[in-house]
Amino acid sequence: MKKVKRFFSEMEWLIMKYIWKNEKATVREVWDGLFPNREKAYTTVQTYMDRLVLKGILSKKKIGPVNVFKPLITEQAAMKFAAENLVSRAFNGSFGLLATYLIDSRHLSREDLAEIKQLIAQKEKELS
């Protein structure tokens, strides 16, 4: 499995989430699925998908008259890379600093805090 070389752009995330959900797709399927009102040009979607092929994120195979794109990495691998990239760049590699930021940001509900406490307790049991 290839390693993601850099953070995805917003459009790349949209495209990849569509393809992960559907397991494979043509440019037309992605375009129709994401932009049914034609907010983006077909060629824009095609360009982004071709870039994802060049980055080693998608494969492209000609089947009949169309190209079919499939993911070469899992959604989990992409999310892991994105999280590690964020922690590395914004929090000097410290997940503890990220957790502190999230808790201090006051955007967490009581339910969020309860869930985090439960996750910490589970992780502590696993490490024991």
Side-chain angles (χ1 to χ4, degrees):
M1 184 162 304
K2 293 188 178 203
K3 184 177 176 182
V4 181
K5 293 186 172 98
R6 68 178 192 89
F7 231 162
F8 291 167
S9 70
E10 185 176 347
M11 176 69 100
E12 289 171 331
W13 274 112
L14 281 173
I15 290 168
M16 288 307 301
K17 284 184 177 287
Y18 182 90
I19 294 174
W20 283 317
K21 180 180 172 190
N22 295 284
E23 298 180 12
K24 62 182 179 179
T26 65
V27 174
R28 177 148 319 270
E29 289 168 340
V30 172
W31 185 55
D32 286 342
L34 294 178
F35 306 106
N37 298 320
R38 308 305 184 235
E39 306 89 339
K40 298 282 185 197
Y42 175 92
T43 54
T44 299
V45 175
Q46 184 175 37
T47 297
Y48 275 97
M49 290 174 72
D50 284 336
R51 285 182 190 160
L52 287 164
V53 170
L54 291 174
K55 289 180 182 182
I57 307 302
L58 289 176
S59 69
K60 178 168 78 170
K61 182 177 181 182
K62 187 114 174 137
I63 299 177
V66 298
N67 290 310
V68 176
F69 294 80
K70 290 184 180 180
L72 292 174
I73 64 166
T74 65
E75 187 172 10
Q76 283 298 115
M79 288 189 301
K80 181 178 187 270
F81 177 80
E84 289 173 352
N85 188 296
L86 172 68
V87 169
S88 175
R89 293 173 146 210
F91 298 98
N92 297 321
S94 171
F95 280 91
L97 284 176
L98 170 62
T100 300
Y101 171 78
L102 292 173
I103 290 168
D104 289 345
S105 70
R106 299 188 182 152
H107 293 112
L108 297 176
S109 67
R110 288 188 187 275
E111 293 81 17
D112 291 334
L113 288 172
E115 186 177 345
I116 290 169
K117 286 178 186 178
Q118 183 180 10
L119 290 169
I120 290 170
Q122 286 175 337
K123 194 59 159 175
E124 285 176 336
K125 281 183 184 178
E126 290 174 14
L127 296 174
S128 300

